[in-house]
Amino acid sequence: VEEESGQELGLDRSTPKDFHFYHMDLHDSEDRLQLFPEENTRMRKEVVQAEMANESRGAGDGKAQRDLQEGVDELVHLYGLEDDHELGDEFADENMPRTGVSEYPPYVMKRRDPAREQRDWRLSGETAEAEDLGFGGWGSAGQCQDLREAYRYTHGRASEEYECYVIPEEEDEEEAADVFCVTCKTPIRAFQKVFDEHKEHEVIPLNEALESAKDEIHKNMYKLEKQIIEMENFANHLEEVFITVEENFGKQEQNFESHYNEILETLAQKYEEKIQALGEKKKEKLEALYGQLVSCGENLDTCKELMETIEEMCHEEKVDFIKDAMAMADRLGKFLKAKTDVEISAQPEFEDQTLDFSDVEQLMGSINTIPAPSAPVINPQAPNSATGSSVRVCWSLYSDDTVESYQLSYRPVQDSSPGKDQAEFTVTVKETYCSVTNLVPNTQYEFWVTAHNRAGPSPSSEHAVYMTAPSPPIIKTKEIRSCEEAVLICWESGNLNPVDSYTVELTQAESPEASDVTESVVGIPTCESLVQLQPGRSYIIYVRALNTGGPSVRSEPAAVHTIGSYFRLNKDTCHPWLIISEDGLTVVRSERRIPARELSSSDTRFTRCVAVMGNLIPVRGHHYWEVEVDEHLDYTVGVAFEDVTKQEDLGANCLSWCMRHTFASSRHKYEFLHNRTTPDIRITVPPKKIGILLDYENSKLSFFNVDLSQHLYTFSCQLHEFVHPCFSLENPGCLKVHNGISMPKHVTFY
């Protein structure tokens, strides 16, 4: 019935899925019947009192709240109000507005009226009367209303002025993703790998996926940067071509305009000349005809006069006639003898006026006949405009000449060798720049350019000297020395001509991409550099050479590890009786000897003491290395200044500190020598591997038995300069150096 009535009235009973909506009365009638039992009323009062006490405490007592919840749930179960709709629909107040659309939001807000609440809760007497009347089951509407309010107090949330009742749902807190599905390319939770559709997919830890994504982004960024540089270069090229085309067409337009203006001026001048000539000719003819016309009129008048006179004479007397006839005959004779011009001196026909446009045609032809261009101006070399085999040459044309092409000529700069002609090369281009290839690295070339059009070539520009970038240096990997704090790297220039400077680039060994340069040392004038590094790292080192043309490409890489101190034996100090291994870490004395008289004294090579020195990096701090020895071998190990006397034994002066071992008659003798003095120390167990600790900070040199982790002796040294390891063999055998290792735990600073 309720459902049908709801459809008839058009009530909207739909609620959002995120809330459970329970209808409540907005109009609380004071005279509604109390149908609930008194027991329920008392329980309701306890519920409200507990709630009010809980609100007065602020945060609330958890136990009272749980008791209140249990009481309300018991009431709901007792009266069968588990269904959400029964609580909202079964006791809908008849005063609720019935419109076609629900006027209430998913939650109901009602202004709190404490007086009315207190009045409603004082209806316990009416409840008792209702119980005496035998009302059971659901009880009165007022009691149901109070029950609903108690239920809302426990399950809802209320503000100080408004009550907003929403029955909350327990929402599952979504766990954060902790692994990454490679197949789906999305973060997931670990349990989804076991139970979800990702069961057969490949997963990796989220941190690993994050690092991989970062690396991929960095690589793509590097590629994008390269593409941007290429596009910028291409755009610059297009811009230069655009400017060149625009300048050429602008010059052509100016040339055409100038020539056409000249043609128009010539035509106007010819027009004026022709009009003036025609006027003069017209005047001349008209004047001739007019004079002839006047002469003809005069002759005609004379003829008429003579005719009249003769007629008059015919009527005269004979005597008079004869007299006048003689005179008239003379007169007529003279008149008739006079030649009368009866031909027209000027004909009326027009003469064929031929116009001479040869000069105009010449002007028209001169439009396509442009003058030869002036000499271009070649630009000086721009920074970083060259590689090891190419240079980019640029020039400009400051005049308004029209140019169809340019011819760039070049040759290597002549050296001091007389009579040696350098070959010349020519390149033809249409732009005001050219990239010349197949050149020799680190070499100077002189360039000059001429401009060409139909009229011919321009004069040559001034000569400009350009230089190619250097060849990449060659790192001397066998001479690299390092410690935990720095590395000393040496290289060869790789170029016949000197360069301006060098640059050292370092990258982490784990990511040797070109974009991962961690440090660069620039402006190095010589072929070696001491670079500060972080301890316990591995680096890849490159070297570039620079000159005015730009930097060279990278050298071949060299690996460096800042773990312990790493050095090699110095062959320049090696006694001729000793042989150093290929790796520079083992020294051997053979049975074969060179006669002592053939040994010449030297400041760098040992001649008296059969010894050799190591190349330790010149960095203060502490350095540790180990020497593998034969207990039956006579040897000396220690340190010495670089300028130690090479004609004396180690430990025989104040420039060396050494541990010396001699073996004779099955007895071992150990001495710790400095300036020919040694302390009285006895070593019972002959060491097979000796550890040596050089401590610059405390000016001490310590020796250890590595196998027994035993301290042997410590020198207090005056180390005013850098010292180097030294090794000596008194009889045939070998010593092997172990370095580039971490300091053992038993090694301490004494």
Side-chain angles (χ1 to χ4, degrees):
V1 175
E2 180 187 7
E3 183 177 357
E4 294 177 357
S5 61
Q7 293 176 352
E8 293 175 359
L9 296 175
L11 294 178
D12 184 7
R13 299 189 182 277
S14 62
T15 59
K17 62 181 181 179
D18 295 336
F19 297 97
H20 291 293
F21 172 44
Y22 297 91
H23 297 286
M24 66 178 293
D25 295 332
L26 297 181
H27 307 281
D28 191 10
S29 176
E30 298 181 0
D31 55 354
R32 63 177 62 180
L33 294 177
Q34 305 294 327
L35 301 180
F36 284 95
E38 183 178 0
E39 177 184 359
N40 299 336
T41 304
R42 288 196 302 271
M43 185 175 295
R44 182 178 71 248
K45 292 173 66 178
E46 293 175 359
V47 168
V48 175
Q49 290 174 1
E51 174 66 21
M52 294 176 65
N54 186 35
E55 291 179 353
S56 65
R57 286 194 301 270
D61 186 4
K63 184 175 183 305
Q65 182 70 21
R66 288 193 298 272
D67 294 340
L68 179 62
Q69 177 67 37
E70 292 174 359
V72 173
D73 292 340
E74 184 178 353
L75 283 175
V76 172
H77 178 71
L78 177 63
Y79 291 100
L81 300 180
E82 292 87 346
D83 187 18
D84 295 346
H85 299 288
E86 291 181 3
L87 188 60
D89 298 336
E90 198 65 36
F91 305 104
D93 189 75
E94 66 269 12
N95 295 326
M96 182 180 295
R98 299 289 185 174
T99 60
V101 181
S102 176
E103 299 181 3
Y104 303 102
Y107 48 86
V108 178
M109 301 184 67
K110 179 176 70 175
R111 186 174 297 275
R112 301 180 65 178
D113 189 353
R116 193 187 70 184
E117 293 176 359
Q118 186 176 4
R119 181 180 67 247
D120 291 342
W121 292 113
R122 287 198 298 268
L123 299 178
S124 59
E126 297 177 9
T127 304
E129 293 177 3
E131 184 179 5
D132 293 339
L133 293 175
F135 288 97
W138 297 106
S140 65
Q143 290 172 324
C144 293
Q145 176 69 14
D146 295 337
L147 176 61
R148 290 197 301 275
E149 291 181 358
Y151 189 83
R152 296 188 186 101
Y153 266 109
T154 58
H155 287 73
R157 296 183 295 272
S159 64
E160 294 181 358
E161 186 177 2
Y162 289 93
E163 295 174 343
C164 180
Y165 304 106
V166 179
I167 305 303
E169 284 185 330
E170 295 184 0
E171 299 180 357
D172 295 334
E173 296 184 0
E174 185 176 356
E175 298 180 5
D178 50 4
V179 295
F180 183 81
C181 179
V182 179
T183 306
C184 299
K185 296 183 179 180
T186 181
I188 61 174
R189 289 173 286 179
F191 75 88
Q192 291 180 307
K193 166 64 178 173
V194 182
F195 302 104
D196 210 340
E197 67 272 8
H198 306 280
K199 184 175 182 180
E200 302 297 332
H201 295 176
E202 179 185 358
V203 297
I204 59 176
L206 195 60
N207 293 334
E208 183 179 344
L210 180 61
E211 293 299 327
S212 177
K214 288 182 179 179
D215 293 341
E216 187 67 22
I217 290 176
H218 286 311
K219 292 179 181 178
N220 291 334
M221 288 178 63
Y222 173 67
K223 295 178 181 178
L224 185 59
E225 289 176 356
K226 290 180 63 179
Q227 186 172 359
I228 289 174
I229 294 174
E230 292 177 358
M231 293 302 296
E232 287 179 348
N233 293 335
F234 180 69
N236 292 334
H237 184 189
L238 287 179
E239 185 177 359
E240 292 175 352
V241 173
F242 180 87
I243 293 174
T244 302
V245 172
E246 187 179 22
E247 290 178 352
N248 288 339
F249 274 94
K251 294 173 183 177
Q252 289 282 2
E253 291 174 358
Q254 294 177 0
N255 185 39
F256 287 157
E257 183 178 0
S258 174
H259 281 78
Y260 276 116
N261 289 335
E262 186 176 357
I263 291 173
L264 291 177
E265 291 177 359
T266 302
L267 288 175
Q269 183 179 358
K270 283 189 169 294
Y271 172 78
E272 294 293 336
E273 292 177 355
K274 289 296 182 183
I275 291 297
Q276 185 177 0
L278 289 174
E280 292 178 354
K281 194 72 173 177
K282 172 183 175 182
K283 181 180 179 182
E284 181 183 355
K285 284 191 174 187
L286 291 178
E287 287 179 353
L289 291 173
Y290 181 76
Q292 193 175 9
L293 181 62
V294 171
S295 177
C296 183
E298 291 177 352
N299 290 332
L300 184 60
D301 292 340
T302 301
C303 290
K304 288 181 177 180
E305 180 184 359
L306 289 175
M307 287 295 296
E308 291 177 354
T309 301
I310 291 173
E311 288 179 358
E312 290 178 358
M313 286 175 60
C314 290
H315 295 287
E316 290 181 355
E317 293 293 335
K318 295 181 179 178
V319 177
D320 295 331
F321 175 78
I322 293 173
K323 292 180 180 179
D324 293 334
M326 294 299 294
M328 181 61 64
D330 294 337
R331 185 178 176 184
L332 287 174
K334 291 180 181 179
F335 178 77
L336 293 175
K337 287 181 180 179
K339 187 177 180 180
T340 303
D341 188 7
V342 293
E343 293 181 359
I344 299 176
S345 60
Q347 297 297 326
E349 291 83 6
F350 289 102
E351 298 177 0
D352 187 9
Q353 299 292 332
T354 303
L355 299 178
D356 185 10
F357 288 102
S358 58
D359 49 354
V360 177
E361 292 177 354
Q362 184 178 0
L363 287 175
M364 291 292 293
S366 66
I367 293 179
N368 296 324
T369 304
I370 55 179
S374 58
V377 179
I378 194 165
N379 300 338
Q381 185 173 10
N384 301 327
S385 61
T387 65
S389 60
S390 66
V391 293
R392 181 181 174 88
V393 185
C394 300
W395 58 89
S396 57
L397 196 66
Y398 290 150
S399 63
D400 294 334
D401 298 331
T402 300
V403 178
E404 297 177 357
S405 64
Y406 297 93
Q407 191 174 74
L408 178 66
S409 303
Y410 63 95
R411 64 188 175 194
V413 175
Q414 292 185 359
D415 53 18
S416 58
S417 301
K420 184 178 180 181
D421 295 332
Q422 298 289 347
E424 295 184 4
F425 304 92
T426 302
V427 180
T428 301
V429 295
K430 293 185 177 296
E431 297 82 12
T432 57
Y433 61 90
C434 179
S435 293
V436 183
T437 58
N438 299 324
L439 304 179
V440 180
N442 200 36
T443 303
Q444 290 183 332
Y445 290 84
E446 57 179 344
F447 291 86
W448 62 97
V449 64
T450 55
H452 292 256
N453 60 18
R454 297 179 184 177
S458 71
S460 174
S461 67
E462 296 291 335
H463 288 219
V465 176
Y466 279 58
M467 192 170 191
T468 54
S471 298
I474 303 171
I475 298 177
K476 300 178 181 179
T477 55
K478 293 184 179 181
E479 297 184 14
I480 293 177
R481 293 174 276 172
S482 64
C483 62
E484 292 185 350
E485 301 173 355
V487 61
L488 180 62
I489 181 172
C490 305
W491 58 86
E492 295 179 357
S493 173
N495 297 273
L496 296 177
N497 300 322
V499 300
D500 295 341
S501 64
Y502 298 92
T503 298
V504 175
E505 298 178 354
L506 298 95
T507 66
Q508 293 287 346
E510 292 78 8
S511 55
E513 291 290 338
S515 60
D516 296 333
V517 175
T518 58
E519 183 178 357
S520 294
V521 183
V522 300
I524 304 172
T526 60
C527 290
E528 68 174 19
S529 177
L530 182 64
V531 183
Q532 299 294 324
L533 301 177
Q534 297 294 327
R537 303 288 182 86
S538 296
Y539 293 90
I540 302 296
I541 295 182
Y542 306 88
V543 181
R544 296 181 190 265
L546 290 89
N547 62 12
T548 56
S552 70
V553 297
R554 282 179 165 182
S555 66
E556 292 296 324
V560 173
H561 308 281
T562 55
I563 302 174
S565 298
Y566 179 80
F567 62 89
R568 291 172 180 260
L569 299 177
N570 188 354
K571 294 183 179 180
D572 295 335
T573 64
C574 183
H575 191 279
W577 294 356
L578 298 179
I579 300 174
I580 298 176
S581 62
E582 185 66 23
D583 60 3
L585 299 176
T586 303
V587 57
V588 179
R589 178 173 178 175
S590 61
E591 296 288 345
R592 183 181 178 182
R593 294 185 179 182
I594 300 175
R597 62 177 180 273
E598 297 183 8
L599 298 177
S600 59
S601 60
S602 172
D603 293 335
T604 59
R605 183 185 298 272
F606 287 98
T607 55
R608 175 182 176 85
C609 178
V610 186
V612 64
M613 298 182 72
N615 272 332
L616 188 63
I617 185 171
V619 174
R620 295 190 176 272
H622 58 269
H623 303 273
Y624 176 81
W625 64 93
E626 296 174 354
V627 184
E628 187 177 339
V629 300
D630 185 353
E631 59 184 22
H632 302 296
L633 181 67
D634 293 348
Y635 59 85
T636 302
V637 295
V639 298
F641 289 109
E642 186 174 2
D643 57 349
V644 65
T645 304
K646 304 301 191 293
Q647 287 75 36
E648 292 183 354
D649 293 335
L650 295 175
N653 50 53
C654 61
L655 301 179
S656 59
W657 296 262
C658 301
M659 173 183 172
R660 181 178 180 182
H661 169 259
T662 55
F663 179 75
S665 302
S666 301
R667 295 184 62 183
H668 298 273
K669 181 181 178 181
Y670 292 91
E671 298 174 286
F672 294 91
L673 295 170
H674 174 63
N675 206 12
R676 297 185 183 276
T677 61
T678 178
D680 186 11
I681 295 178
R682 297 182 182 276
I683 299 176
T684 57
V685 179
K688 297 181 179 180
K689 183 179 288 187
I690 301 173
I692 302 174
L693 174 63
L694 174 62
D695 184 5
Y696 277 104
E697 296 177 356
N698 299 310
S699 298
K700 292 184 178 182
L701 178 68
S702 301
F703 296 87
F704 301 87
N705 186 336
V706 177
D707 296 331
L708 299 180
S709 301
Q710 178 186 15
H711 172 248
L712 300 178
Y713 183 73
T714 297
F715 284 104
S716 293
C717 313
Q718 296 297 326
L719 303 176
H720 56 277
E721 295 179 359
F722 291 107
V723 295
H724 295 279
C726 54
F727 312 89
S728 175
L729 288 170
E730 302 301 330
N731 48 24
C734 71
L735 296 176
K736 186 173 183 180
V737 181
H738 298 270
N739 56 24
I741 56 178
S742 300
M743 189 181 304
K745 295 182 180 179
H746 67 270
V747 174
T748 56
F749 301 97
Y750 287 87

